[in-house]
Amino acid sequence: MTWDPTFFYDTYPRLEPAFAARLEESLGPRDPSVLLQVVRELGLLPDSRVVDVGCGEGAHAVRLATHFGFRVLGIDPVQRHLDLARATRRDLVPDIASRLAFERGTATHVPAADATLDLVWCRDVMVHVERPDDAFAEFARVLRPGGHVVAFQAVATDLLGADEAGWLFDVMGVVPTSADPRVIDDAIARSGLEVVATIDLSTEWGEWSQEQDGDGGRALLHLARLLRDPGRYRAEFGDAAYEVMLGDCRWQVYRTMGKLGARIDVLRRR
């Protein structure tokens, strides 16, 4: 569009209040509970065997055990995560605690026998995996015929510049190719897993978070402060912590503005 002074100074000001009011109307973004809804629609029975790949501190494993009565093995390569997850388990009621276990493992090395699991849950992990082919092949190995994968991950979009991606991915531990949706599609195809659905979430989680508690706006404010006075924060917390905080704020802002997208892949072993 070429700048038109008549439109800019005369026509647009007449539209602006109505336009701004319309932008205050929510588009009804889906929230993170959509992942649980996806699992619910699979119709898995209580006591189904599930692995939570990259379980972190165990929050999602606990939800899967609590909401559905699954028996969940949470795996993670970080010992601190396992320690915290096991501490959480000890505080749960016995019926839920008995359904949970936490062990060391990764997306490419799942500590489960062939064809023994009903569901692989994998959230926010694949972007850190060097070879998605190996991960999806591993998921196919441990699933029973008819078993499912529910995988969520962020993906780069065409709005993310090469320089932005290079710095951000390096700081956040993202393998650049693993954030490429085409690479993920190819890895799934080579695994032999059947695609049940691919759900494009675009900016929805970022919008939802901003509507609920203003997290996106806070991240933008924090990003502005980090960039305006880096010395203040580097001196107090160190260079490494500064870079991680800067990366985390940029990640949240980019997610809300569409430079990072998000997708859920629902897959099935034939």
Side-chain angles (χ1 to χ4, degrees):
M1 173 182 172
T2 302
W3 184 67
D4 178 349
T6 300
F7 179 84
F8 194 87
Y9 290 116
D10 186 14
T11 306
Y12 178 72
R14 302 172 193 272
L15 298 173
E16 187 176 11
F19 201 159
R22 183 58 60 88
L23 287 172
E24 288 297 316
E25 299 173 4
S26 175
L27 296 177
R30 289 166 288 187
D31 64 74
S33 69
V34 68
L35 281 169
L36 295 177
Q37 181 60 35
V38 167
V39 173
R40 185 173 293 108
E41 291 172 359
L42 297 178
L44 298 175
L45 297 175
D47 291 329
S48 292
R49 297 197 171 273
V50 177
V51 64
D52 176 2
V53 177
C55 65
E57 298 175 16
H60 302 304
V62 171
R63 290 190 184 98
L64 291 168
T66 302
H67 283 274
F68 305 108
F70 295 157
R71 297 194 176 277
V72 185
L73 170 64
I75 64 171
D76 202 283
V78 179
Q79 187 61 45
R80 176 178 175 273
H81 290 166
L82 296 174
D83 292 342
L84 290 170
R86 289 165 181 162
T88 295
R89 178 182 178 273
R90 288 193 292 271
D91 292 334
L92 298 172
V93 297
D95 180 59
I96 300 300
S98 67
R99 296 177 179 276
L100 293 163
F102 297 99
E103 298 180 18
R104 188 176 292 272
T106 67
T108 54
H109 294 89
V110 178
D114 294 357
T116 55
L117 301 180
D118 300 293
L119 174 67
V120 174
W121 166 284
C122 182
R123 176 172 169 173
D124 292 316
V125 170
M126 202 61 66
V127 291
H128 303 297
V129 176
E130 288 284 349
R131 289 181 51 81
D133 296 67
D134 294 344
F136 286 112
E138 181 73 343
F139 298 169
R141 178 188 71 78
V142 299
L143 282 174
R144 295 186 176 116
H148 288 83
V149 176
V150 173
F152 167 86
Q153 76 165 76
V155 291
T157 75
D158 293 340
L159 298 176
L160 186 66
D163 290 343
E164 292 174 318
W167 181 90
L168 180 66
F169 290 170
D170 184 55
V171 168
M172 301 300 284
V174 171
V175 179
T177 52
S178 298
D180 185 334
R182 295 163 298 186
V183 171
I184 297 301
D185 289 338
D186 289 345
I188 292 170
R190 284 192 287 270
S191 74
L193 294 166
E194 177 186 3
V195 177
V196 177
T198 298
I199 302 168
D200 179 12
L201 292 170
S202 185
T203 62
E204 290 185 58
W205 283 15
E207 292 176 46
W208 177 83
S209 179
Q210 176 62 23
E211 290 179 8
Q212 296 301 307
D213 49 34
D215 276 356
R218 298 301 298 178
L220 181 59
L221 176 61
H222 295 166
L223 178 60
R225 290 170 176 165
L226 287 163
L227 293 172
R228 186 160 70 89
D229 193 0
R232 173 190 180 94
Y233 307 105
R234 289 183 186 274
E236 185 172 357
F237 299 104
D239 291 341
Y242 172 85
E243 295 292 325
V244 171
M245 181 63 79
L246 187 66
D248 184 64
C249 289
R250 278 185 167 147
W251 190 276
Q252 293 185 64
V253 171
Y254 289 175
R255 181 183 69 167
T256 304
M257 65 189 298
K259 292 192 175 192
L260 293 171
R263 61 187 275 177
I264 301 170
D265 291 296
V266 186
L267 315 172
R268 177 170 54 215
R269 183 184 172 189
R270 297 182 178 88

